[in-house]
Amino acid sequence: MKAMSLGVTSMAGFVLPELSLGAARCRGSLCSRQRRCCRTVRASAGEGEPEPLSGPAAAAAATEARRKRVTLFLRENENASFQDKPSSMFRLGARNFSAQFGGMLLEISKWLGLRRSDDTWGSLPETMGLQLSNERVSLREEFRENIAQIRAETSWPVRVGYELVCDFLDFAFKDRPIPRFWFLETVARMPYFSYVSVLHLWETLGWVRDPMLCSVHYAQQTNELHHLLIMEALGGDKQWFDRFLAQHAALVYYWLLVVAYMVWPAEAYRFSELLELHAVDTYSELIDKNREILASLPAPTIAETYYRDGPLYLFDEFQTSIDPGMRRPPVDTLLQVFEAIRDDELQHVDTMIACQDYCVKGKPVWSPNYREAVGTPQAESDLGSTEKSRIDDERREMWIKWAEGVNELENAKTKGL
């Protein structure tokens, strides 16, 4: 069955069951920045004078202590973040190599037991205590595709490639959700770079000229970039080996998508749709499993800037299924940040479906901001408010049934054990 359009407006009222920009900043398994932060946390939390607590009081105290640690780590990360100005590739490369080489030596010394960490309180992202089950994510995906019939119909090479990517993520990032999301967001930007690169080439050759499609893809990669920056603020890029894997995988993925888009654009869009649907499943599982923890933690500053305080033109630009201004997610807690990211991924799914329709049926992809300025040429945008409300209600009901079905299936398996 053809994948259905999944407007984020349908998400209201229920919950679903870049290469690193700071590459030159201090990195490593436990860098001096993190050790300073640990000492600050210890001093702030009053280490050495614990009071015996039990029951609800102990749980409340643990939650508050975790909130304080995460707040201090976030502040320390933001203060230490570094963005170099454009310069010679030799200067930038040398600076990055120096930082990455130091991080590599730190991790090797730790693996060999030559360096003992004094990080007794933990650092981001470990101190948050988040959990993510690969089995539960697979269960959600199985239910979505086979029961709810929400799936992308692709060729077998695309499906095999997608399954290999998922298996790799499960293996390399088992029980490490934030590094997994950082890797995923690093790689997730590459398709939109690839599409814009090919479109620029075709525009130069006079084959295709579609500035609105380029604008939408640029806004998509900007959205994924801010997901990446949020995961960096949470410590997702702390390990040198994770950075090594993500950056090299992103380069390979970029060129593979360039070739795929040149040969078969619609299938390239379907592959992106598969990955975005997987991201929805993964973020949904993280949210449901860690709701109380996430609700108790503060939002990174970069999330507040992107979703609330900064210019929102590009945030509206990639959401082709809704009108500008319809989504203004709150970002007061880390829970709301992850819910906003999950809903962003749903919007990417909608946009990928619209791009497939453009390639196959010739229906143009309109920039949402352009559509608002000059009219609404899209068929769905011409619907009256009553009809749009009916469609949103149907989508909401579909996703509610999916979430309930996943939970029922999991409960049945648990009882069977």
Side-chain angles (χ1 to χ4, degrees):
M1 178 178 177
K2 175 63 180 174
M4 299 181 66
S5 180
L6 310 173
V8 168
T9 53
S10 65
M11 295 292 299
F14 72 95
V15 178
L16 290 172
E18 118 193 323
L19 300 180
S20 173
L21 287 184
R25 62 186 176 181
C26 186
R27 304 288 192 183
S29 298
L30 184 65
C31 65
S32 60
R33 166 173 59 83
Q34 292 164 336
R35 290 194 294 273
R36 289 197 306 272
C37 187
C38 288
R39 289 194 291 269
T40 304
V41 172
R42 295 188 186 105
S44 175
E47 182 180 339
E49 299 178 2
E51 295 184 6
L53 298 173
S54 60
T63 299
E64 179 62 17
R66 179 170 53 225
R67 186 192 65 78
K68 288 183 177 180
R69 291 199 301 272
V70 171
T71 300
L72 287 169
F73 281 128
L74 286 175
R75 187 182 306 160
E76 194 75 11
N77 276 344
E78 290 162 0
N79 293 337
S81 63
F82 174 80
Q83 173 62 57
D84 206 349
K85 65 179 184 298
S87 183
S88 163
M89 62 176 290
F90 302 106
R91 178 180 177 276
L92 295 174
R95 189 175 188 128
N96 181 71
F97 177 80
S98 175
Q100 299 293 342
F101 186 71
M104 180 183 68
L105 292 180
L106 282 173
E107 288 199 18
I108 291 176
S109 63
K110 181 179 178 180
W111 293 339
L112 295 178
L114 302 177
R115 185 182 183 91
R116 183 173 61 86
S117 171
D118 63 352
D119 188 16
T120 56
W121 275 62
S123 61
L124 287 175
E126 292 81 7
T127 192
M128 292 187 290
L130 301 179
Q131 300 179 18
L132 181 67
S133 167
N134 292 337
E135 292 74 19
R136 285 279 298 175
V137 173
S138 299
L139 185 65
R140 284 177 180 269
E141 186 170 37
E142 177 185 346
F143 186 89
R144 171 177 54 78
E145 292 192 342
N146 299 328
I147 307 300
Q149 294 294 301
I150 304 171
R151 60 182 301 158
E153 296 295 341
T154 64
S155 60
W156 69 265
V158 169
R159 172 59 68 168
V160 170
Y162 166 72
E163 296 292 345
L164 290 175
V165 170
C166 292
D167 290 343
F168 169 77
L169 290 173
D170 290 346
F171 172 77
F173 298 98
K174 181 177 176 60
D175 299 325
R176 297 196 301 141
I178 299 301
R180 176 188 181 123
F181 287 129
W182 182 82
F183 179 94
L184 191 61
E185 299 297 350
T186 300
V187 174
R189 300 177 63 207
M190 293 303 107
Y192 309 121
F193 283 131
S194 301
Y195 304 156
V196 171
S197 297
V198 176
L199 288 170
H200 280 178
L201 173 63
W202 288 350
E203 181 178 313
T204 302
L205 298 175
W207 294 359
V208 175
R209 286 177 178 159
D210 195 329
M212 278 194 289
L213 185 59
C214 289
S215 177
V216 169
H217 287 328
Y218 176 77
Q220 286 185 286
Q221 76 82 21
T222 301
N223 177 259
E224 300 288 11
L225 165 63
H226 284 83
H227 295 175
L228 170 68
L229 294 176
I230 290 169
M231 298 308 155
E232 283 191 2
L234 297 174
D237 64 334
K238 184 177 68 174
Q239 299 295 331
W240 170 83
F241 192 65
D242 292 341
R243 300 195 299 274
F244 179 86
L245 281 178
Q247 294 171 0
H248 288 78
L251 290 174
V252 173
Y253 189 43
Y254 169 82
W255 287 108
L256 288 175
L257 264 295
V258 165
V259 174
Y261 196 78
M262 284 182 170
V263 177
W264 200 350
E267 203 66 11
Y269 284 135
R270 292 187 186 102
F271 187 78
S272 295
E273 181 190 352
L274 280 173
L275 288 182
E276 300 294 359
L277 284 169
H278 177 75
V280 174
D281 295 332
T282 310
Y283 279 115
S284 297
E285 177 59 28
L286 181 84
I287 290 169
D288 286 352
K289 181 66 175 178
N290 304 276
R291 181 170 297 277
E292 292 185 3
I293 294 177
L294 294 173
S296 69
L297 299 178
T301 300
I302 184 63
E304 296 173 343
T305 301
Y306 178 66
Y307 286 108
R308 186 186 65 201
D309 301 334
L312 296 172
Y313 179 90
L314 288 176
F315 177 68
D316 291 330
E317 183 73 355
F318 82 94
Q319 304 179 72
T320 58
S321 66
I322 61 176
D323 295 328
M326 289 185 65
R327 277 193 66 215
R328 291 295 182 262
V331 285
D332 298 321
T333 66
L334 195 56
L335 173 63
Q336 293 174 333
V337 171
F338 274 99
E339 289 175 339
I341 294 175
R342 175 203 60 197
D343 293 354
D344 287 349
E345 305 299 354
L346 277 168
Q347 281 296 337
H348 284 297
V349 172
D350 274 350
T351 300
M352 289 297 94
I353 293 173
C355 290
Q356 294 169 44
D357 289 341
Y358 188 13
C359 295
V360 176
K361 303 176 183 178
K363 180 182 176 181
V365 176
W366 294 89
S367 157
N369 291 295
Y370 178 86
R371 192 172 69 234
E372 182 184 49
V374 302
T376 54
Q378 281 188 307
E380 184 172 343
S381 300
D382 292 333
L383 294 174
S385 59
T386 302
E387 181 66 9
K388 291 181 72 173
S389 178
R390 182 189 64 79
I391 293 175
D392 288 343
D393 288 342
E394 290 179 354
R395 290 173 174 173
R396 183 181 298 109
E397 184 66 23
M398 175 187 68
W399 283 98
I400 289 175
K401 290 181 179 179
W402 172 50
E404 291 175 347
V406 170
N407 289 329
E408 290 176 0
L409 186 58
E410 177 65 14
N411 291 336
K413 285 189 175 182
T414 302
K415 291 178 180 178
L417 296 176

